[in-house]
Amino acid sequence: MDSTAQNQEFKIILGSSSVARRKIMADMGFKFTTMSADIDEKSIRKEKTEDLVLALAEAKADAIIGKLENLGNEEKDAKPTIVISADTVENVQPKLHGKDEAEPTLLITCDQVVVYEGMIREKPSSKEEARQFIKGYSGGYAATVSSVLVTNLSNGSRKGGWDKVEIHFHDIPEEVIEKLIEEALVLNVAGGLIIEHPLVVPYVKEVVGGTDSVMGLPKNLTRRLMKEVL
């Protein structure tokens, strides 16, 4: 546990329904709740992968800020709040751009895409697309590009960044691919890629970078950005 988490004097809202991101935040030692970011991801397009994931993280942050402004500030909590974009809601009402807060309120949002043979892959639109995605990884490799954006809600400042990881695979048997498709969890993640899945782990040859980044929340980048805006 780093000093940021150990001396936590702020609340955290994790803005993701991802079980993996929740686990990473917990492993980092932070206490947090969750809140949704309902955006049309397909409507946001950028030529560069890095620009795309940052733009999506910004859109999620703006959506959550809008929800918080609508909720108002009925609760006068002296503690600041950190937010990380999400898909479920809990009752959190921080002050936005408050002048009288002793501590800042932070909002953290994230996004991820998979890049395969130069093409951006987001969540599979169907089981057949997920099947094609995973078959492509078999005996080959793909990369994940993950963004983290931290917004200081007390003064409006933002810091963002991205992290890229390469994953190399052994040949993945057809029966394993079919089990993954039948289970359907791969439909909910970028590129249909879940390297921590028990069925996938034996076929991961090498990960060049951090596994936490592949799972959707690079720890070191998240810590650094949080410290920069605190």
Side-chain angles (χ1 to χ4, degrees), residues 11-14 32-35 64 67-75 77 79-83 88-96 105-106 153:
K11 293 179 181 178
I12 296 176
I13 305 171
L14 177 62
F32 59 91
T33 55
T34 58
M35 189 170 183
I64 289 178
K67 285 191 174 185
L68 292 173
E69 288 175 340
N70 288 335
L71 285 172
N73 185 32
E74 296 176 1
E75 296 180 359
D77 191 345
K79 281 188 174 184
T81 304
I82 289 181
V83 185
T88 57
V89 180
E90 294 187 25
N91 184 26
V92 182
Q93 297 178 322
K95 295 180 180 179
L96 300 181
T105 297
L106 306 183
L153 297 182

Side-chain angles (χ1 to χ4, degrees), residues 15 30 69 91 125 138 144 148 161 166 175 191 199 201 223-224:
F30 291 110
E69 288 175 340
N91 184 26
S125 59
S138 180
T144 58
V148 179
E166 281 191 4
E175 58 268 26
L199 289 173
V201 169
R223 289 191 188 103
R224 175 171 64 82

